[in-house]
Amino acid sequence: MTTNNRHSSSFRDPSGFIFTDRGVIKRSISPLYFEQYNALKSSNFFKKLHNAGLLISHEELSVSSEEIIIQPEQISFMNYPYEWSFNQYKEAALLTLKIQKFALENGFSLKDASAFNVTFHKGKMVFIDTLSFDFYKENSPWRAYKQFISHFFGPLLLAKYNGLESLKLMNSFIDGVPIKMVSSMLPLKTKLNPFLYSNIHLLAKFEEKHNEDYKGVSKESNLSKKAQLNIIKGLYDFIKKMSLKTSSEWGNYYDKTNYANDAFDQKATIIDGWITQLEAKTVIDVGGNDGTFVRKIKHQLHEALVCDIDYNAVDANHNYVKTHKETYMLPFVFDVLNPSANIGFNNKERDSFLKRIKAYAPDVTMALAVIHHMTLSGNIPFEMSAEFFSSFSKHLIIEFPKRNDSWVQRLLNTKGEFKAHFDFYNIENFESSYSKYFTLVEKVAIDNSERVMYIYKSL
């Protein structure tokens, strides 16, 4: 048996586990799953899903009577359901249903429909749990149906009716949002929709009844393959048509910015010049809105992580990625004032943003027009934001809007009688604080604006 480091998140499935071998992610398959694995392999099931881009590809490294070891394609930066925009979440749900449909048609079925089995990689969602498949048993219901509802359908409905922040519930409910809770939070009118009533409200009643079955006398119902396929089609069609009518303050940020066109272009030129000088291959743009400034970088990047607190901006970025078939851009939702924490059993099942980004180690961090929000909206002192960025940044490109900038004035005016407390917000204090964590490489004032661009190197 392998003696390599078992990943702290990989303990729930007796079929096998993930481990790291000198920094490379590999998967050990136990004898319990040999029959399924060999059947999936010999039937070309894996190959077909790999070729379709639906399932992460893998290479078989070794086979013994004790274990099979495979090495999946490596994913540089894992992203989680509570970091997805609405349409990213939709894509993940539809992917899972596509895979279940394909599995049923080929004599298999998903035994696990967790949203954590999907991640965004090379411009699209991909299923990453190779061991989630089992043999289909005639007239047996889809065992992962309830899990799909609590991980995908329920959160999407809550986002549609109660706001996009509902998608963050998966941060608190790692095993899926309880269906009873989903039912109670949805508006009364959803009970008048036959599809929603049967897949949410009625399911919640059945779940509550089952929870009271202390003697375990409840019988498993029968369900034909045709009926299962009809349920999957119903869910697929309903989710595909789901849409939102929302707007946000930052969703069209660049249409409202106080930049003149020449200043906007100068800023893009400065960024591209610095990225080119560093020959950077990977960047993260914190507060990157819809990815506009990353796309203006002419230097070829291997990968760009672009995160923002605004769901609509992330969705706009995601839609651009899909439309233009970009493979290097990874949009995700991120609140710089409250980064994703370690969660799950022993706080080790899902890594925090900081742990993941430190391991990713981007060549350059971009923080454009974000420092005034951190300082004036979040009350984060300059020294604390400098410490935050220095914890994962080799180089930092940061934009500082001075006190007379219209956005800064707008934020200051919201402080009312406490406005004087923020007299420390000035360029001298900013530079002094950041010099404790970074070495200044270059500083450029943007013409016809109240903004200054800096490039720093971490000490």
Side-chain angles (χ1 to χ4, degrees), residues 5-34:
N5 293 326
R6 185 171 182 148
H7 196 279
S8 57
S9 69
S10 190
F11 61 87
R12 294 176 180 244
D13 189 354
S15 302
F17 60 89
I18 291 288
F19 66 94
T20 56
D21 180 9
R22 287 165 290 191
V24 177
I25 294 291
K26 297 179 181 179
R27 188 186 292 273
S28 172
I29 304 172
S30 71
L32 179 70
Y33 196 73
F34 281 4

Side-chain angles (χ1 to χ4, degrees), residues 19 157 192 230 255 371 386 396 402 404:
F19 66 94
L157 288 171
L192 303 178
N230 286 338
D255 294 334
I371 187 63
L396 172 66
K402 293 185 283 188
N404 289 333

Side-chain angles (χ1 to χ4, degrees), residues 138-410:
E138 195 68 33
N139 292 323
S140 178
W142 182 21
R143 59 192 285 190
Y145 163 71
K146 193 179 82 170
Q147 188 180 34
F148 179 85
I149 299 299
S150 63
H151 277 247
F152 287 107
F153 195 41
L156 281 169
L157 288 171
L158 291 177
K160 176 177 176 61
Y161 289 104
N162 296 339
L164 290 167
E165 293 292 331
S166 301
L167 295 177
K168 289 185 178 180
L169 283 170
M170 286 296 292
N171 185 277
S172 299
F173 297 99
I174 195 170
D175 290 321
V177 183
I179 298 171
K180 182 179 179 181
M181 178 178 171
V182 174
S183 175
S184 68
M185 292 176 67
L186 290 176
L188 182 62
K189 65 180 180 180
T190 59
K191 291 186 176 182
L192 303 178
N193 182 309
F195 188 80
L196 295 183
Y197 182 78
S198 61
N199 285 283
I200 297 293
H201 301 293
L202 191 59
L203 183 61
K205 290 183 179 180
F206 284 152
E207 183 181 48
E208 187 173 12
K209 181 180 179 181
H210 179 74
N211 288 339
E212 295 175 356
D213 178 23
Y214 301 112
K215 296 181 180 180
V217 296
S218 297
K219 295 181 180 180
E220 187 178 88
S221 58
N222 292 330
L223 193 70
S224 68
K225 182 183 289 188
K226 181 179 179 181
Q228 275 198 58
L229 289 170
N230 286 338
I231 291 173
I232 292 167
K233 184 179 186 303
L235 286 167
Y236 189 94
D237 291 345
F238 191 98
I239 292 171
K240 190 174 181 179
K241 292 177 182 177
M242 289 179 73
S243 61
L244 299 173
K245 294 181 180 179
T246 59
S247 61
S248 63
E249 184 176 8
W250 311 110
N252 60 341
Y253 176 77
Y254 296 120
D255 294 334
K256 299 183 290 185
T257 184
N258 52 9
Y259 274 118
N261 289 337
D262 56 342
F264 192 89
D265 292 339
Q266 183 190 4
K267 175 178 171 179
T269 300
I270 291 169
I271 294 168
D272 180 53
W274 286 340
I275 295 289
T276 302
Q277 288 173 26
L278 294 172
E279 298 182 342
K281 294 299 181 184
T282 56
V283 304
I284 178 169
D285 190 355
V286 178
N289 204 267
D290 61 2
T292 292
F293 279 101
V294 169
R295 290 191 175 90
K296 288 184 176 294
I297 296 172
K298 298 176 183 177
H299 174 76
Q300 187 171 358
L301 296 170
H302 174 71
E303 189 170 41
L305 313 183
V306 179
C307 51
D308 200 279
I309 192 174
D310 186 88
Y311 282 85
N312 294 328
V314 176
D315 245 345
N317 194 359
H318 169 71
N319 291 335
Y320 192 98
V321 167
K322 301 296 293 182
T323 302
H324 295 83
K325 298 181 179 180
E326 293 178 336
T327 58
Y328 79 103
M329 183 82 75
L330 172 56
F332 63 99
V333 177
F334 173 71
D335 182 356
V336 71
L337 301 180
N338 186 26
S340 302
N342 294 314
I343 64 170
F345 181 72
N346 210 22
N347 288 146
K348 290 184 177 180
E349 284 192 73
R350 303 291 175 253
D351 291 335
S352 69
F353 165 79
L354 279 174
K355 185 173 182 179
R356 282 175 286 148
I357 199 62
K358 287 175 183 178
Y360 183 81
D363 295 328
V364 177
T365 297
M366 294 166 54
L368 312 177
V370 71
I371 187 63
H372 54 311
H373 296 297
M374 294 178 71
T375 310
L376 301 178
S377 298
N379 295 1
I380 306 295
F382 287 139
E383 189 164 335
M384 288 181 66
S385 63
E387 181 183 16
F388 168 77
F389 286 121
S390 70
S391 68
F392 59 86
S393 304
K394 298 174 185 175
H395 291 86
L396 172 66
I397 295 175
I398 188 167
E399 175 184 19
F400 186 83
K402 293 185 283 188
R403 282 189 78 87
N404 289 333
D405 180 89
S406 62
W407 281 99
V408 172
Q409 286 296 310
R410 177 185 177 190

